[in-house]
């Protein structure tokens, strides 16, 4: 689904809330509105249009701005969600973009749009599973507990099967922390914003996540050598998964 369709689905309520005066102060004083985006687009010689200009213009009803924003970030978001669902990743991507439009005014602007998008996607993912399993505690519940089939990434990279299966078997909160650090390469403050936790908690959560992953790897590995190779290869594996996720998104678009 293209972003122009998503813009239409965001509905008149979103446009009424944002109108031509979206963002901080509207088109006259802020970064939003299709007028601002059109002006920015016209100055193409000065560089690419800011993500927030595109988002504000989309909220104001500019489908072209929505298309550009969607195309700019689809692969990243799809790669983040596809190993956490059983075929619902595209729907969650759509939900996340629509939620970004609706929650733009609540964003303080103190992180990148990519971080904002991951934070919204996490909330959509939690909602997706809580709708199916009310009261789910993602501090103890893993994807294996929630039941989605393993990602096709496992088929694409057979040698990484052990790491991927172990990752799916640790609590989802810990899985996200590891993926944001190794896969998405976010710094601590950005991870804190995505997970909605104090910045000082990030380091301890990553430590607990690595410990939990090592326990699962020990349970799943066939030999000490296989375990050692898996642990040593974590960063290399994350880079490979990022590459495969981009290929998978290309295959499905």
């Amino acid at each position: 689904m293209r972003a122009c369709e998503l813009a239409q689905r965001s509905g008149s309520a979103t446009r009424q809330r944002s109108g031509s005066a979206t963002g901080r102060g509207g088109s006259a004083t802020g970064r939003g509105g299709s007028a601002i985006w059109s002006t920015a687009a016209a100055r193409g010689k000065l560089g690419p249009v800011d993500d927030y200009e595109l988002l504000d213009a989309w909220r104001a009803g500019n489908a072209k701005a929505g298309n550009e924003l969607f195309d700019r970030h689809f692969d990243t978001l799809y790669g983040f969600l596809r190993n956490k669902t059983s075929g619902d990743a595209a729907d969650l991507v759509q939900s996340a973009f629509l939620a970004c439009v609706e929650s733009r005014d609540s964003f303080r602007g103190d992180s990148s749009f990519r971080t904002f998008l991951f934070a919204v996607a996490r909330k959509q993912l939690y909602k997706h599973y809580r709708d199916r399993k009310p009261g789910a505690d993602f501090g103890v519940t893993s994807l294996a507990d929630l039941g989605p089939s393993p990602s096709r990434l496992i088929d694409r990279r057979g040698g990484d099967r052990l790491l991927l299966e172990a990752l799916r078997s640790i609590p989802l909160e810990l899985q996200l922390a590891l993926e944001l650090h190794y896969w998405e390469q976010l710094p601590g403050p950005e991870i804190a914003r995505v997970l909605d936790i104090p910045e000082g908690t990030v380091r301890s959560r990553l430590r607990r996540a690595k410990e939990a992953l090592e326990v699962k790897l020990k349970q799943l590995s066939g030999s000490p050598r296989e375990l050692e190779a898996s642990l040593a290869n974590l960063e290399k594996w994350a880079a490979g998964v990022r590459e495969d996720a981009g290929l998978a998104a290309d295959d499905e678009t």
Side-chain angles (χ1 to χ4, degrees), residues 18-36 56 59-60 105:
S18 57
S20 60
T22 55
R24 299 190 187 99
S27 58
T29 58
R31 297 193 292 177
S34 52
I36 289 289
D56 286 340
R59 293 188 69 221
D105 288 340

Side-chain angles (χ1 to χ4, degrees), residues 176-187 191 206 210 235 242:
L176 291 178
L178 285 176
E179 289 193 8
L180 291 169
H181 177 69
Y182 285 104
W183 185 339
E184 306 302 341
Q185 299 180 319
L186 294 185
I191 293 175
L206 283 170
K210 291 176 187 177
E235 293 191 29
R242 283 196 300 274

